[in-house]
């Protein structure tokens, strides 16, 4: 079950907007992501709030793991930096805290349209492909 998050607080994705004006409406289904970057930000926030359902709904069915579980494992999502967005790709760094250590995940994600909505396909470390 996703963690509750107040709509007036700053969005975890780091956009500078409130959650209610940024990722909240995407998570509720009120407003779909208009761009790959918007989808990537909303997915980051969904990971931070442990919203497994949203992450699965926005993942291409051909590449989505069937056993995704974001329940409490001690990981905290503490920051997102978007380095660039071009076409259907977004490059970012997510900063995580787990086991008392800070980890940085840098990824170039690929997105595509499926039934009119953006979905995540896969990601690689920048420089691959």
């Amino acid at each position: 079950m996703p963690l509750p998050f107040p709509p007036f607080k700053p969005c975890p994705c780091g956009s500078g907007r409130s959650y209610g004006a940024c990722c909240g409406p995407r998570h509720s289904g009120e407003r779909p992501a208009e761009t790959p970057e918007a989808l990537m930000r909303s997915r980051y926030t969904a990971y931070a709030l442990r919203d497994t359902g949203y992450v699965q709904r926005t993942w291409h069915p051909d590449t989505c793991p069937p056993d995704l579980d974001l329940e409490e494992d001690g990981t905290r999502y503490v920051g997102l930096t978007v380095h660039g967005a071009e076409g259907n790709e977004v490059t970012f760094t997510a900063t995580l805290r787990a086991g008392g250590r800070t980890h940085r995940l840098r990824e170039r994600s690929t997105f595509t349209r499926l039934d009119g909505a953006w979905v995540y396909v896969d990601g690689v470390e920048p420089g691959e492909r």
Side-chain angles (χ1 to χ4, degrees), residues 79-104:
L80 176 68
T81 303
V82 177
H83 302 290
E86 188 174 324
N88 68 335
E89 293 185 340
V90 180
T91 303
F92 67 92
T93 300
T95 305
L96 319 170
R97 295 262 321 147
R101 297 181 45 142
T102 299
H103 306 273
R104 286 181 180 73

Side-chain angles (χ1 to χ4, degrees), residues 32-45:
E34 308 85 354
T35 65
E37 180 180 345
L39 181 61
M40 187 277 307
R41 286 181 177 279
S42 68
R43 286 174 52 83
Y44 169 86
T45 298

Side-chain angles (χ1 to χ4, degrees), residues 4 17 20 29 51 56 89 102 105 121 127:
R17 295 181 294 164
D51 189 343
Q56 288 177 313
E89 293 185 340
T102 299
L105 168 70
V121 177

Side-chain angles (χ1 to χ4, degrees), residues 5-6 10 13-14 18 33-34 38-39 44 53 60 65 73 75-78 85-86 88 90 92 106 114 117-118 120:
F5 198 82
C13 80
S18 69
E34 308 85 354
L39 181 61
Y44 169 86
H60 196 286
D73 66 356
T75 300
R76 287 185 30 239
Y77 291 74
V78 297
E86 188 174 324
N88 68 335
V90 180
F92 67 92
R106 186 168 169 116
L114 184 64
W118 286 107
Y120 172 79

